[in-house]
Amino acid sequence: MEKKEPWARVSVVGVLGVLLLSHAAYSTIQYRSLLKITDEQFSGPPINVVMELIAGLVLCMWAALTVPGKFLSILPHSDENRVVALPTNLDFMIFNHRGKAFPLSIDAK
Amino acid sequence: MANLGAPGKTDSDITDELPTFNVENMQNNAKIIYYSRTFMSIIGGVIAGILGFTGLTGFILYFLVMAITSVGLAAKAGFSVHSYFDGWNRIILDGFLGGLLSFVLFWTYPYDVS
């Protein structure tokens, strides 16, 4: 599975949600022009448009939560944050810094 | 590496005073929250415009959508917030008002089409 940046990934659920919202918008525009003909006040779109809006909102909410990516653990000692390889540019690394204040520890797993 | 720390203090005492986090993952998580909130602000704006909300009602819808997004993000983190963020504030309050301007922009688009 190729890894793309979140703004480049598109999900079927998201597209479907946006399509539902566009259709609801189109229906509302038609409804409003109809009201203009009969010269009534626009108090709210018809109930099926409201249902469509709620469905579109739920689908878009699902897409907004799943498409951008997974949360990654920030704990340094968790299983998925294990340091399994040394960097290759060791000659350029400086060790004379504030990290000396941390205690050394043996943490073999 | 042998433990050369000060006598009388165990290793866990010292590291408890200085919490260290994997910064790259923290930034990744913050980025995800930002994208989610921005997208939901836009969607909320479109919905407010379609429903024809004016004035305060629209902003109430914005806060409602943001609150639902907060709950959704907390659920996505499995409600064990401390392994992904350094506090509840990050997931609940961060970026709450950031999408407000996008919301207002998209709110006025469908409202004006009539």
Side-chain angles (χ1 to χ4, degrees):
Chain A
M1 185 164 71
E2 55 167 290
K3 188 167 184 288
K4 289 159 80 168
E5 291 302 327
W7 61 79
R9 282 173 26 200
V10 158
S11 82
V12 177
V13 174
V15 170
L16 198 59
V18 170
L19 280 181
L20 272 182
L21 288 182
S22 325
H23 181 257
Y26 185 66
S27 308
T28 310
I29 294 170
Q30 280 188 319
Y31 179 70
R32 273 194 161 178
S33 54
L34 187 67
L35 283 186
K36 274 221 174 73
I37 295 175
T38 61
D39 209 15
E40 286 170 17
Q41 275 292 74
F42 175 73
S43 64
I47 191 73
N48 53 333
V49 171
V50 173
M51 289 291 117
E52 214 172 342
L53 282 179
I54 293 179
L57 177 68
V58 168
L59 287 181
C60 286
M61 179 85 67
W62 179 262
L65 291 177
T66 48
V67 166
K70 291 168 47 90
F71 283 148
L72 299 174
S73 171
I74 61 170
L75 302 172
H77 299 301
S78 78
D79 272 345
E80 60 215 33
N81 283 345
R82 292 181 59 188
V83 179
V84 294
L86 290 176
T88 52
N89 58 341
L90 284 177
D91 286 341
F92 292 95
M93 300 180 81
I94 303 172
F95 294 100
N96 187 24
H97 55 67
R98 296 178 297 177
K100 287 184 294 193
F102 278 111
L104 302 174
S105 64
I106 299 180
D107 197 357
K109 277 195 181 176
Chain B
M1 288 188 289
N3 187 353
L4 304 174
K9 257 190 172 184
T10 65
D11 174 38
S12 56
D13 283 347
I14 297 179
T15 51
D16 277 348
E17 297 161 9
L18 302 164
T20 54
F21 296 124
N22 185 340
V23 177
E24 187 186 322
N25 288 354
M26 268 182 76
Q27 288 175 339
N28 172 65
N29 296 346
K31 202 167 63 167
I32 291 176
I33 290 189
Y34 177 70
Y35 286 146
S36 298
R37 285 204 189 275
T38 308
F39 183 60
M40 285 317 298
S41 305
I42 294 176
I43 297 294
V46 170
I47 290 181
I50 293 176
L51 289 173
F53 286 157
T54 53
L56 197 58
T57 331
F59 291 105
I60 293 178
L61 177 71
Y62 174 73
F63 285 117
L64 192 65
V65 168
M66 281 294 111
I68 297 178
T69 309
S70 292
V71 172
L73 286 170
K76 180 179 169 134
F79 290 107
S80 67
V81 158
H82 289 290
S83 54
Y84 300 111
F85 301 96
D86 51 347
W88 277 98
N89 282 348
R90 291 251 173 270
I91 222 178
I92 294 194
L93 295 183
D94 235 14
F96 208 81
L97 297 178
L100 190 60
L101 291 183
S102 306
F103 171 80
V104 172
L105 176 67
F106 280 87
W107 182 9
T108 54
Y109 278 158
Y111 184 70
D112 210 24
V113 180
S114 49

